[in-house]
Amino acid sequence: MRCINKKTDSFVRHKLFRTGLWFVANSNIRKILTGGCGCLCALVLAGCGSDGYGMPYDAYSVNSSFTVLSADQAGRAGTFAADLCIANENSNENAADMSQAEAAGLFSLGDKETLYAKNVHERLYPASLTKVMTALVALKNGNREDVLTASANVRITESGATLSGLKEGDKMTLDQALRILLIQSANDVAVMIAEQYGGTTEHFCEMMNEEAKAIGATNSNFTNPHGLTDENHYVTAYDMYLIFNEACKYELFKEIIGMSAYTTIYYDAGGGEVSFDKPSTNWYFNGEATAPAGITVLGGKTGTTSAARNCLVLLSSDTSGKSYISVIMKSEERGIMYTEMTDLLGVIQK
């Protein structure tokens, strides 16, 4: 008989990850977690229903799960979070004024340090920050020269949805699609990408959720590739840091998010040319917002819906070359969000 439920399983996985004990082999952890009371209790708890720990953790113990022994080799495996920032729900709260944002976080990549955290593990609607994960899955499964063809499903009628104007039969490369996806934040292009690499948007969302779990973003769930509101579609500010950090490992992604505008030509079903020319939605690139002195905004992604309010994730650097990821979610007003983001980036110099 199993002695844990889904809520317990999620809690344990979250705690393991936050303390740096999350294994790369998620399937192995799940086997341990769901394999029975004995396995779980031996790893985490003193016994079923107990609140205590059965044994202290020692990474250098010969019996540690992190000790790898074989006939010709002995060593210790690194923790999953060895190269990541670990964040408490709230920390350094007086360093910046985030009173108009529901959640915010500032993460120093080189130092692997969380400089600021507000409600970073609260599940929130991500709006078009979703497209960072869409791009990440496409980059992992495609090539920039791939030719994508729009189906009839790119026709989105939801009020307020940002659209590039794709029509059934339109063709463009993945390189073009990713630029339109991330610079204009086009929802119809998100559908085209999803169908190209998932077959259906539903299967692509399964791929998104698998990728989220693989990188430790265990408090996220995706039900679409564009971020239009769905009650079961959510991320946390901390998970957004993880997802954005993973996407930034791709040079093409970093190049795109740093563009202030994009102009291209793609082709319709009859082979005719279709022009595209749009500016970035990022205010730091159009002069409406200015980063603190000594801080350079290298790129980012915006997101806005009535439910998610205003969201923003940025990659920035300081004069010493150190890199940072900053996240703000559910800020009440766009202008205030950029004021708060500038204040948040100012924490780097404090």
PDB file of all heavy atoms in Angstrom, residues 128 131 135 162 175-186 189 252-264 276-282 285 300-302:
ATOM      1  N   SER A 128       2.799  35.376 -21.665  1.00  0.00           N
ATOM      2  CA  SER A 128       3.719  35.015 -22.754  1.00  0.00           C
ATOM      3  C   SER A 128       5.122  34.642 -22.298  1.00  0.00           C
ATOM      4  O   SER A 128       5.963  34.289 -23.134  1.00  0.00           O
ATOM      5  CB  SER A 128       3.792  36.155 -23.771  1.00  0.00           C
ATOM      6  OG  SER A 128       2.614  36.212 -24.539  1.00  0.00           O
ATOM      7  N   LYS A 131       6.334  31.408 -23.670  1.00  0.00           N
ATOM      8  CA  LYS A 131       7.023  31.227 -24.953  1.00  0.00           C
ATOM      9  C   LYS A 131       8.514  30.943 -24.778  1.00  0.00           C
ATOM     10  O   LYS A 131       9.170  30.476 -25.718  1.00  0.00           O
ATOM     11  CB  LYS A 131       6.779  32.445 -25.838  1.00  0.00           C
ATOM     12  CG  LYS A 131       5.300  32.610 -26.221  1.00  0.00           C
ATOM     13  CD  LYS A 131       5.087  33.809 -27.133  1.00  0.00           C
ATOM     14  CE  LYS A 131       3.636  33.934 -27.579  1.00  0.00           C
ATOM     15  NZ  LYS A 131       2.769  34.535 -26.576  1.00  0.00           N
ATOM     16  N   ALA A 135      10.098  28.018 -26.938  1.00  0.00           N
ATOM     17  CA  ALA A 135      11.346  28.154 -27.684  1.00  0.00           C
ATOM     18  C   ALA A 135      12.368  27.118 -27.256  1.00  0.00           C
ATOM     19  O   ALA A 135      13.072  26.529 -28.092  1.00  0.00           O
ATOM     20  CB  ALA A 135      11.911  29.558 -27.494  1.00  0.00           C
ATOM     21  N   THR A 162      -2.036  38.473 -29.204  1.00  0.00           N
ATOM     22  CA  THR A 162      -1.079  39.030 -30.156  1.00  0.00           C
ATOM     23  C   THR A 162      -0.857  38.043 -31.289  1.00  0.00           C
ATOM     24  O   THR A 162      -0.505  36.878 -31.055  1.00  0.00           O
ATOM     25  CB  THR A 162       0.258  39.336 -29.473  1.00  0.00           C
ATOM     26  OG1 THR A 162       0.040  40.284 -28.428  1.00  0.00           O
ATOM     27  CG2 THR A 162       1.265  39.898 -30.462  1.00  0.00           C
ATOM     28  N   ASP A 175      14.140  29.414 -37.532  1.00  0.00           N
ATOM     29  CA  ASP A 175      14.856  30.631 -37.151  1.00  0.00           C
ATOM     30  C   ASP A 175      13.922  31.835 -37.211  1.00  0.00           C
ATOM     31  O   ASP A 175      13.861  32.638 -36.259  1.00  0.00           O
ATOM     32  CB  ASP A 175      16.043  30.837 -38.098  1.00  0.00           C
ATOM     33  CG  ASP A 175      16.898  32.022 -37.696  1.00  0.00           C
ATOM     34  OD1 ASP A 175      16.518  33.168 -38.008  1.00  0.00           O
ATOM     35  OD2 ASP A 175      17.953  31.797 -37.082  1.00  0.00           O
ATOM     36  N   GLN A 176      13.179  31.973 -38.288  1.00  0.00           N
ATOM     37  CA  GLN A 176      12.231  33.083 -38.412  1.00  0.00           C
ATOM     38  C   GLN A 176      11.117  32.969 -37.370  1.00  0.00           C
ATOM     39  O   GLN A 176      10.733  33.965 -36.743  1.00  0.00           O
ATOM     40  CB  GLN A 176      11.615  33.090 -39.811  1.00  0.00           C
ATOM     41  CG  GLN A 176      12.570  33.454 -40.935  1.00  0.00           C
ATOM     42  CD  GLN A 176      11.931  33.290 -42.295  1.00  0.00           C
ATOM     43  OE1 GLN A 176      11.489  32.204 -42.657  1.00  0.00           O
ATOM     44  NE2 GLN A 176      11.866  34.381 -43.054  1.00  0.00           N
ATOM     45  N   ALA A 177      10.606  31.747 -37.198  1.00  0.00           N
ATOM     46  CA  ALA A 177       9.493  31.543 -36.268  1.00  0.00           C
ATOM     47  C   ALA A 177       9.888  31.907 -34.844  1.00  0.00           C
ATOM     48  O   ALA A 177       9.107  32.542 -34.114  1.00  0.00           O
ATOM     49  CB  ALA A 177       9.017  30.097 -36.342  1.00  0.00           C
ATOM     50  N   LEU A 178      11.087  31.527 -34.426  1.00  0.00           N
ATOM     51  CA  LEU A 178      11.526  31.835 -33.061  1.00  0.00           C
ATOM     52  C   LEU A 178      11.687  33.331 -32.860  1.00  0.00           C
ATOM     53  O   LEU A 178      11.372  33.864 -31.786  1.00  0.00           O
ATOM     54  CB  LEU A 178      12.843  31.116 -32.760  1.00  0.00           C
ATOM     55  CG  LEU A 178      12.758  29.601 -32.568  1.00  0.00           C
ATOM     56  CD1 LEU A 178      14.156  29.002 -32.436  1.00  0.00           C
ATOM     57  CD2 LEU A 178      11.908  29.241 -31.349  1.00  0.00           C
ATOM     58  N   ARG A 179      12.150  34.029 -33.875  1.00  0.00           N
ATOM     59  CA  ARG A 179      12.323  35.475 -33.755  1.00  0.00           C
ATOM     60  C   ARG A 179      10.968  36.179 -33.643  1.00  0.00           C
ATOM     61  O   ARG A 179      10.786  37.094 -32.830  1.00  0.00           O
ATOM     62  CB  ARG A 179      13.143  36.005 -34.932  1.00  0.00           C
ATOM     63  CG  ARG A 179      14.590  35.499 -34.916  1.00  0.00           C
ATOM     64  CD  ARG A 179      15.363  35.903 -36.152  1.00  0.00           C
ATOM     65  NE  ARG A 179      16.593  35.137 -36.240  1.00  0.00           N
ATOM     66  CZ  ARG A 179      17.760  35.463 -35.670  1.00  0.00           C
ATOM     67  NH1 ARG A 179      17.848  36.582 -34.971  1.00  0.00           N
ATOM     68  NH2 ARG A 179      18.828  34.709 -35.801  1.00  0.00           N
ATOM     69  N   ILE A 180      10.003  35.754 -34.448  1.00  0.00           N
ATOM     70  CA  ILE A 180       8.672  36.348 -34.360  1.00  0.00           C
ATOM     71  C   ILE A 180       8.011  35.971 -33.032  1.00  0.00           C
ATOM     72  O   ILE A 180       7.354  36.801 -32.389  1.00  0.00           O
ATOM     73  CB  ILE A 180       7.806  35.907 -35.560  1.00  0.00           C
ATOM     74  CG1 ILE A 180       8.418  36.418 -36.865  1.00  0.00           C
ATOM     75  CG2 ILE A 180       6.380  36.423 -35.414  1.00  0.00           C
ATOM     76  CD1 ILE A 180       7.742  35.898 -38.120  1.00  0.00           C
ATOM     77  N   LEU A 181       8.208  34.728 -32.606  1.00  0.00           N
ATOM     78  CA  LEU A 181       7.649  34.250 -31.341  1.00  0.00           C
ATOM     79  C   LEU A 181       8.121  35.092 -30.164  1.00  0.00           C
ATOM     80  O   LEU A 181       7.322  35.508 -29.310  1.00  0.00           O
ATOM     81  CB  LEU A 181       8.051  32.792 -31.114  1.00  0.00           C
ATOM     82  CG  LEU A 181       7.643  32.159 -29.783  1.00  0.00           C
ATOM     83  CD1 LEU A 181       6.193  31.712 -29.833  1.00  0.00           C
ATOM     84  CD2 LEU A 181       8.560  30.988 -29.424  1.00  0.00           C
ATOM     85  N   LEU A 182       9.420  35.361 -30.111  1.00  0.00           N
ATOM     86  CA  LEU A 182      10.015  35.992 -28.935  1.00  0.00           C
ATOM     87  C   LEU A 182      10.057  37.514 -29.017  1.00  0.00           C
ATOM     88  O   LEU A 182      10.035  38.187 -27.985  1.00  0.00           O
ATOM     89  CB  LEU A 182      11.434  35.445 -28.708  1.00  0.00           C
ATOM     90  CG  LEU A 182      11.504  33.957 -28.363  1.00  0.00           C
ATOM     91  CD1 LEU A 182      12.945  33.456 -28.429  1.00  0.00           C
ATOM     92  CD2 LEU A 182      10.905  33.683 -26.990  1.00  0.00           C
ATOM     93  N   ILE A 183      10.120  38.067 -30.215  1.00  0.00           N
ATOM     94  CA  ILE A 183      10.205  39.520 -30.351  1.00  0.00           C
ATOM     95  C   ILE A 183       8.819  40.145 -30.374  1.00  0.00           C
ATOM     96  O   ILE A 183       8.528  41.086 -29.626  1.00  0.00           O
ATOM     97  CB  ILE A 183      11.015  39.894 -31.608  1.00  0.00           C
ATOM     98  CG1 ILE A 183      12.464  39.430 -31.435  1.00  0.00           C
ATOM     99  CG2 ILE A 183      10.954  41.400 -31.861  1.00  0.00           C
ATOM    100  CD1 ILE A 183      13.308  39.556 -32.675  1.00  0.00           C
ATOM    101  N   GLN A 184       7.924  39.629 -31.247  1.00  0.00           N
ATOM    102  CA  GLN A 184       6.561  40.169 -31.274  1.00  0.00           C
ATOM    103  C   GLN A 184       5.668  39.505 -30.235  1.00  0.00           C
ATOM    104  O   GLN A 184       4.665  40.052 -29.814  1.00  0.00           O
ATOM    105  CB  GLN A 184       5.940  39.984 -32.656  1.00  0.00           C
ATOM    106  CG  GLN A 184       4.582  40.674 -32.786  1.00  0.00           C
ATOM    107  CD  GLN A 184       3.712  40.080 -33.872  1.00  0.00           C
ATOM    108  OE1 GLN A 184       3.957  38.982 -34.361  1.00  0.00           O
ATOM    109  NE2 GLN A 184       2.676  40.823 -34.256  1.00  0.00           N
ATOM    110  N   SER A 185       6.035  38.272 -29.809  1.00  0.00           N
ATOM    111  CA  SER A 185       5.232  37.457 -28.893  1.00  0.00           C
ATOM    112  C   SER A 185       3.956  36.958 -29.568  1.00  0.00           C
ATOM    113  O   SER A 185       2.856  37.003 -29.003  1.00  0.00           O
ATOM    114  CB  SER A 185       4.885  38.233 -27.618  1.00  0.00           C
ATOM    115  OG  SER A 185       4.572  37.351 -26.560  1.00  0.00           O
ATOM    116  N   ALA A 186       4.121  36.430 -30.777  1.00  0.00           N
ATOM    117  CA  ALA A 186       2.988  36.017 -31.595  1.00  0.00           C
ATOM    118  C   ALA A 186       2.441  34.655 -31.171  1.00  0.00           C
ATOM    119  O   ALA A 186       3.157  33.646 -31.192  1.00  0.00           O
ATOM    120  CB  ALA A 186       3.394  35.972 -33.064  1.00  0.00           C
ATOM    121  N   VAL A 189       2.183  31.934 -34.103  1.00  0.00           N
ATOM    122  CA  VAL A 189       3.468  31.290 -34.391  1.00  0.00           C
ATOM    123  C   VAL A 189       3.768  30.221 -33.344  1.00  0.00           C
ATOM    124  O   VAL A 189       4.348  29.167 -33.654  1.00  0.00           O
ATOM    125  CB  VAL A 189       4.592  32.334 -34.464  1.00  0.00           C
ATOM    126  CG1 VAL A 189       5.957  31.660 -34.536  1.00  0.00           C
ATOM    127  CG2 VAL A 189       4.386  33.237 -35.676  1.00  0.00           C
ATOM    128  N   LEU A 252      21.450  31.025 -30.008  1.00  0.00           N
ATOM    129  CA  LEU A 252      20.398  31.592 -30.839  1.00  0.00           C
ATOM    130  C   LEU A 252      19.325  32.256 -29.984  1.00  0.00           C
ATOM    131  O   LEU A 252      18.840  33.348 -30.311  1.00  0.00           O
ATOM    132  CB  LEU A 252      19.766  30.511 -31.724  1.00  0.00           C
ATOM    133  CG  LEU A 252      18.613  30.966 -32.627  1.00  0.00           C
ATOM    134  CD1 LEU A 252      19.053  32.089 -33.557  1.00  0.00           C
ATOM    135  CD2 LEU A 252      18.058  29.783 -33.428  1.00  0.00           C
ATOM    136  N   PHE A 253      18.964  31.635 -28.883  1.00  0.00           N
ATOM    137  CA  PHE A 253      17.975  32.220 -27.979  1.00  0.00           C
ATOM    138  C   PHE A 253      18.487  33.547 -27.434  1.00  0.00           C
ATOM    139  O   PHE A 253      17.766  34.556 -27.440  1.00  0.00           O
ATOM    140  CB  PHE A 253      17.662  31.253 -26.838  1.00  0.00           C
ATOM    141  CG  PHE A 253      16.675  31.786 -25.839  1.00  0.00           C
ATOM    142  CD1 PHE A 253      15.311  31.696 -26.066  1.00  0.00           C
ATOM    143  CD2 PHE A 253      17.107  32.402 -24.664  1.00  0.00           C
ATOM    144  CE1 PHE A 253      14.389  32.207 -25.159  1.00  0.00           C
ATOM    145  CE2 PHE A 253      16.203  32.911 -23.744  1.00  0.00           C
ATOM    146  CZ  PHE A 253      14.836  32.805 -23.992  1.00  0.00           C
ATOM    147  N   LYS A 254      19.722  33.583 -26.965  1.00  0.00           N
ATOM    148  CA  LYS A 254      20.269  34.818 -26.405  1.00  0.00           C
ATOM    149  C   LYS A 254      20.360  35.916 -27.467  1.00  0.00           C
ATOM    150  O   LYS A 254      20.145  37.092 -27.173  1.00  0.00           O
ATOM    151  CB  LYS A 254      21.642  34.553 -25.782  1.00  0.00           C
ATOM    152  CG  LYS A 254      21.584  33.767 -24.491  1.00  0.00           C
ATOM    153  CD  LYS A 254      22.850  33.910 -23.683  1.00  0.00           C
ATOM    154  CE  LYS A 254      24.038  33.296 -24.368  1.00  0.00           C
ATOM    155  NZ  LYS A 254      25.251  33.386 -23.506  1.00  0.00           N
ATOM    156  N   GLU A 255      20.678  35.517 -28.688  1.00  0.00           N
ATOM    157  CA  GLU A 255      20.723  36.501 -29.775  1.00  0.00           C
ATOM    158  C   GLU A 255      19.347  37.110 -30.002  1.00  0.00           C
ATOM    159  O   GLU A 255      19.203  38.332 -30.117  1.00  0.00           O
ATOM    160  CB  GLU A 255      21.203  35.831 -31.056  1.00  0.00           C
ATOM    161  CG  GLU A 255      21.169  36.737 -32.276  1.00  0.00           C
ATOM    162  CD  GLU A 255      21.365  35.985 -33.584  1.00  0.00           C
ATOM    163  OE1 GLU A 255      22.025  34.917 -33.575  1.00  0.00           O
ATOM    164  OE2 GLU A 255      20.846  36.454 -34.615  1.00  0.00           O
ATOM    165  N   ILE A 256      18.329  36.265 -30.041  1.00  0.00           N
ATOM    166  CA  ILE A 256      16.974  36.739 -30.356  1.00  0.00           C
ATOM    167  C   ILE A 256      16.437  37.658 -29.264  1.00  0.00           C
ATOM    168  O   ILE A 256      15.878  38.717 -29.552  1.00  0.00           O
ATOM    169  CB  ILE A 256      16.022  35.551 -30.579  1.00  0.00           C
ATOM    170  CG1 ILE A 256      16.434  34.767 -31.836  1.00  0.00           C
ATOM    171  CG2 ILE A 256      14.574  36.031 -30.712  1.00  0.00           C
ATOM    172  CD1 ILE A 256      15.684  33.467 -32.027  1.00  0.00           C
ATOM    173  N   ILE A 257      16.584  37.257 -28.002  1.00  0.00           N
ATOM    174  CA  ILE A 257      15.994  38.063 -26.928  1.00  0.00           C
ATOM    175  C   ILE A 257      16.697  39.397 -26.759  1.00  0.00           C
ATOM    176  O   ILE A 257      16.203  40.284 -26.059  1.00  0.00           O
ATOM    177  CB  ILE A 257      15.979  37.310 -25.584  1.00  0.00           C
ATOM    178  CG1 ILE A 257      17.398  36.983 -25.107  1.00  0.00           C
ATOM    179  CG2 ILE A 257      15.104  36.050 -25.677  1.00  0.00           C
ATOM    180  CD1 ILE A 257      17.465  36.432 -23.697  1.00  0.00           C
ATOM    181  N   GLY A 258      17.858  39.558 -27.409  1.00  0.00           N
ATOM    182  CA  GLY A 258      18.580  40.825 -27.345  1.00  0.00           C
ATOM    183  C   GLY A 258      18.305  41.743 -28.527  1.00  0.00           C
ATOM    184  O   GLY A 258      18.885  42.830 -28.612  1.00  0.00           O
ATOM    185  N   MET A 259      17.382  41.351 -29.422  1.00  0.00           N
ATOM    186  CA  MET A 259      17.068  42.165 -30.604  1.00  0.00           C
ATOM    187  C   MET A 259      16.009  43.215 -30.271  1.00  0.00           C
ATOM    188  O   MET A 259      15.051  42.934 -29.555  1.00  0.00           O
ATOM    189  CB  MET A 259      16.574  41.268 -31.742  1.00  0.00           C
ATOM    190  CG  MET A 259      17.616  40.280 -32.236  1.00  0.00           C
ATOM    191  SD  MET A 259      16.951  39.147 -33.500  1.00  0.00           S
ATOM    192  CE  MET A 259      16.643  40.309 -34.845  1.00  0.00           C
ATOM    193  N   SER A 260      16.188  44.415 -30.816  1.00  0.00           N
ATOM    194  CA  SER A 260      15.230  45.487 -30.580  1.00  0.00           C
ATOM    195  C   SER A 260      14.096  45.490 -31.604  1.00  0.00           C
ATOM    196  O   SER A 260      13.062  46.132 -31.384  1.00  0.00           O
ATOM    197  CB  SER A 260      15.941  46.843 -30.605  1.00  0.00           C
ATOM    198  OG  SER A 260      16.555  47.057 -31.866  1.00  0.00           O
ATOM    199  N   ALA A 261      14.276  44.777 -32.705  1.00  0.00           N
ATOM    200  CA  ALA A 261      13.253  44.705 -33.750  1.00  0.00           C
ATOM    201  C   ALA A 261      13.620  43.556 -34.687  1.00  0.00           C
ATOM    202  O   ALA A 261      14.750  43.040 -34.646  1.00  0.00           O
ATOM    203  CB  ALA A 261      13.159  46.012 -34.525  1.00  0.00           C
ATOM    204  N   TYR A 262      12.658  43.183 -35.545  1.00  0.00           N
ATOM    205  CA  TYR A 262      12.931  42.109 -36.504  1.00  0.00           C
ATOM    206  C   TYR A 262      12.152  42.352 -37.784  1.00  0.00           C
ATOM    207  O   TYR A 262      10.951  42.654 -37.762  1.00  0.00           O
ATOM    208  CB  TYR A 262      12.543  40.750 -35.908  1.00  0.00           C
ATOM    209  CG  TYR A 262      12.800  39.586 -36.826  1.00  0.00           C
ATOM    210  CD1 TYR A 262      14.055  39.380 -37.391  1.00  0.00           C
ATOM    211  CD2 TYR A 262      11.784  38.676 -37.137  1.00  0.00           C
ATOM    212  CE1 TYR A 262      14.308  38.308 -38.237  1.00  0.00           C
ATOM    213  CE2 TYR A 262      12.030  37.591 -37.974  1.00  0.00           C
ATOM    214  CZ  TYR A 262      13.292  37.413 -38.515  1.00  0.00           C
ATOM    215  OH  TYR A 262      13.529  36.355 -39.359  1.00  0.00           O
ATOM    216  N   THR A 263      12.863  42.218 -38.900  1.00  0.00           N
ATOM    217  CA  THR A 263      12.267  42.339 -40.226  1.00  0.00           C
ATOM    218  C   THR A 263      12.626  41.111 -41.039  1.00  0.00           C
ATOM    219  O   THR A 263      13.798  40.701 -41.052  1.00  0.00           O
ATOM    220  CB  THR A 263      12.786  43.593 -40.957  1.00  0.00           C
ATOM    221  OG1 THR A 263      12.466  44.754 -40.195  1.00  0.00           O
ATOM    222  CG2 THR A 263      12.165  43.714 -42.342  1.00  0.00           C
ATOM    223  N   THR A 264      11.642  40.514 -41.702  1.00  0.00           N
ATOM    224  CA  THR A 264      11.906  39.340 -42.515  1.00  0.00           C
ATOM    225  C   THR A 264      10.827  39.189 -43.579  1.00  0.00           C
ATOM    226  O   THR A 264       9.853  39.937 -43.600  1.00  0.00           O
ATOM    227  CB  THR A 264      11.972  38.067 -41.639  1.00  0.00           C
ATOM    228  OG1 THR A 264      12.513  36.983 -42.406  1.00  0.00           O
ATOM    229  CG2 THR A 264      10.587  37.670 -41.126  1.00  0.00           C
ATOM    230  N   PHE A 276       7.265  40.916 -42.746  1.00  0.00           N
ATOM    231  CA  PHE A 276       7.072  41.046 -41.302  1.00  0.00           C
ATOM    232  C   PHE A 276       8.062  42.073 -40.785  1.00  0.00           C
ATOM    233  O   PHE A 276       9.254  42.013 -41.084  1.00  0.00           O
ATOM    234  CB  PHE A 276       7.299  39.707 -40.593  1.00  0.00           C
ATOM    235  CG  PHE A 276       7.196  39.786 -39.089  1.00  0.00           C
ATOM    236  CD1 PHE A 276       5.984  39.599 -38.455  1.00  0.00           C
ATOM    237  CD2 PHE A 276       8.316  40.075 -38.312  1.00  0.00           C
ATOM    238  CE1 PHE A 276       5.880  39.693 -37.070  1.00  0.00           C
ATOM    239  CE2 PHE A 276       8.225  40.179 -36.933  1.00  0.00           C
ATOM    240  CZ  PHE A 276       7.000  39.986 -36.308  1.00  0.00           C
ATOM    241  N   ASP A 277       7.591  43.020 -39.992  1.00  0.00           N
ATOM    242  CA  ASP A 277       8.466  44.058 -39.435  1.00  0.00           C
ATOM    243  C   ASP A 277       7.856  44.548 -38.123  1.00  0.00           C
ATOM    244  O   ASP A 277       6.872  45.269 -38.120  1.00  0.00           O
ATOM    245  CB  ASP A 277       8.606  45.216 -40.421  1.00  0.00           C
ATOM    246  CG  ASP A 277       9.574  46.294 -39.936  1.00  0.00           C
ATOM    247  OD1 ASP A 277      10.241  46.072 -38.906  1.00  0.00           O
ATOM    248  OD2 ASP A 277       9.649  47.347 -40.581  1.00  0.00           O
ATOM    249  N   LYS A 278       8.443  44.119 -36.986  1.00  0.00           N
ATOM    250  CA  LYS A 278       7.892  44.482 -35.682  1.00  0.00           C
ATOM    251  C   LYS A 278       9.015  44.813 -34.704  1.00  0.00           C
ATOM    252  O   LYS A 278      10.093  44.220 -34.741  1.00  0.00           O
ATOM    253  CB  LYS A 278       7.060  43.340 -35.102  1.00  0.00           C
ATOM    254  CG  LYS A 278       5.807  42.990 -35.889  1.00  0.00           C
ATOM    255  CD  LYS A 278       4.747  44.074 -35.768  1.00  0.00           C
ATOM    256  CE  LYS A 278       3.487  43.682 -36.521  1.00  0.00           C
ATOM    257  NZ  LYS A 278       2.444  44.730 -36.437  1.00  0.00           N
ATOM    258  N   PRO A 279       8.757  45.745 -33.786  1.00  0.00           N
ATOM    259  CA  PRO A 279       9.733  46.041 -32.733  1.00  0.00           C
ATOM    260  C   PRO A 279       9.583  45.057 -31.571  1.00  0.00           C
ATOM    261  O   PRO A 279       8.555  44.389 -31.426  1.00  0.00           O
ATOM    262  CB  PRO A 279       9.354  47.448 -32.302  1.00  0.00           C
ATOM    263  CG  PRO A 279       7.860  47.492 -32.510  1.00  0.00           C
ATOM    264  CD  PRO A 279       7.597  46.653 -33.725  1.00  0.00           C
ATOM    265  N   SER A 280      10.601  45.019 -30.715  1.00  0.00           N
ATOM    266  CA  SER A 280      10.522  44.227 -29.492  1.00  0.00           C
ATOM    267  C   SER A 280       9.494  44.817 -28.535  1.00  0.00           C
ATOM    268  O   SER A 280       9.254  46.031 -28.532  1.00  0.00           O
ATOM    269  CB  SER A 280      11.890  44.185 -28.804  1.00  0.00           C
ATOM    270  OG  SER A 280      11.812  43.637 -27.506  1.00  0.00           O
ATOM    271  N   THR A 281       8.891  43.972 -27.724  1.00  0.00           N
ATOM    272  CA  THR A 281       7.957  44.440 -26.699  1.00  0.00           C
ATOM    273  C   THR A 281       8.678  44.883 -25.431  1.00  0.00           C
ATOM    274  O   THR A 281       8.032  45.310 -24.477  1.00  0.00           O
ATOM    275  CB  THR A 281       6.956  43.326 -26.345  1.00  0.00           C
ATOM    276  OG1 THR A 281       7.686  42.170 -25.876  1.00  0.00           O
ATOM    277  CG2 THR A 281       6.125  42.915 -27.564  1.00  0.00           C
ATOM    278  N   ASN A 282      10.014  44.766 -25.410  1.00  0.00           N
ATOM    279  CA  ASN A 282      10.816  45.070 -24.221  1.00  0.00           C
ATOM    280  C   ASN A 282      11.112  46.565 -24.141  1.00  0.00           C
ATOM    281  O   ASN A 282      11.781  47.126 -25.008  1.00  0.00           O
ATOM    282  CB  ASN A 282      12.127  44.270 -24.273  1.00  0.00           C
ATOM    283  CG  ASN A 282      12.886  44.289 -22.973  1.00  0.00           C
ATOM    284  OD1 ASN A 282      12.850  45.255 -22.220  1.00  0.00           O
ATOM    285  ND2 ASN A 282      13.601  43.212 -22.695  1.00  0.00           N
ATOM    286  N   PHE A 285      14.556  48.138 -24.579  1.00  0.00           N
ATOM    287  CA  PHE A 285      15.121  48.211 -25.915  1.00  0.00           C
ATOM    288  C   PHE A 285      14.540  49.338 -26.761  1.00  0.00           C
ATOM    289  O   PHE A 285      15.054  49.627 -27.831  1.00  0.00           O
ATOM    290  CB  PHE A 285      14.935  46.872 -26.642  1.00  0.00           C
ATOM    291  CG  PHE A 285      15.793  45.771 -26.089  1.00  0.00           C
ATOM    292  CD1 PHE A 285      15.536  44.456 -26.417  1.00  0.00           C
ATOM    293  CD2 PHE A 285      16.856  46.036 -25.250  1.00  0.00           C
ATOM    294  CE1 PHE A 285      16.323  43.436 -25.926  1.00  0.00           C
ATOM    295  CE2 PHE A 285      17.644  45.030 -24.744  1.00  0.00           C
ATOM    296  CZ  PHE A 285      17.387  43.722 -25.081  1.00  0.00           C
ATOM    297  N   GLY A 300      15.391  39.753 -22.910  1.00  0.00           N
ATOM    298  CA  GLY A 300      14.321  39.328 -22.016  1.00  0.00           C
ATOM    299  C   GLY A 300      13.058  38.958 -22.758  1.00  0.00           C
ATOM    300  O   GLY A 300      13.008  38.958 -23.986  1.00  0.00           O
ATOM    301  N   LYS A 301      12.040  38.655 -21.980  1.00  0.00           N
ATOM    302  CA  LYS A 301      10.725  38.292 -22.532  1.00  0.00           C
ATOM    303  C   LYS A 301       9.652  38.914 -21.656  1.00  0.00           C
ATOM    304  O   LYS A 301       9.718  38.845 -20.426  1.00  0.00           O
ATOM    305  CB  LYS A 301      10.549  36.767 -22.581  1.00  0.00           C
ATOM    306  CG  LYS A 301       9.221  36.337 -23.208  1.00  0.00           C
ATOM    307  CD  LYS A 301       9.221  36.566 -24.700  1.00  0.00           C
ATOM    308  CE  LYS A 301       7.824  36.426 -25.299  1.00  0.00           C
ATOM    309  NZ  LYS A 301       6.977  37.617 -25.076  1.00  0.00           N
ATOM    310  N   THR A 302       8.658  39.485 -22.319  1.00  0.00           N
ATOM    311  CA  THR A 302       7.528  40.081 -21.624  1.00  0.00           C
ATOM    312  C   THR A 302       6.322  39.147 -21.676  1.00  0.00           C
ATOM    313  O   THR A 302       6.264  38.210 -22.465  1.00  0.00           O
ATOM    314  CB  THR A 302       7.138  41.407 -22.286  1.00  0.00           C
ATOM    315  OG1 THR A 302       6.776  41.158 -23.659  1.00  0.00           O
ATOM    316  CG2 THR A 302       8.289  42.395 -22.254  1.00  0.00           C
TER     317      THR A 302
END
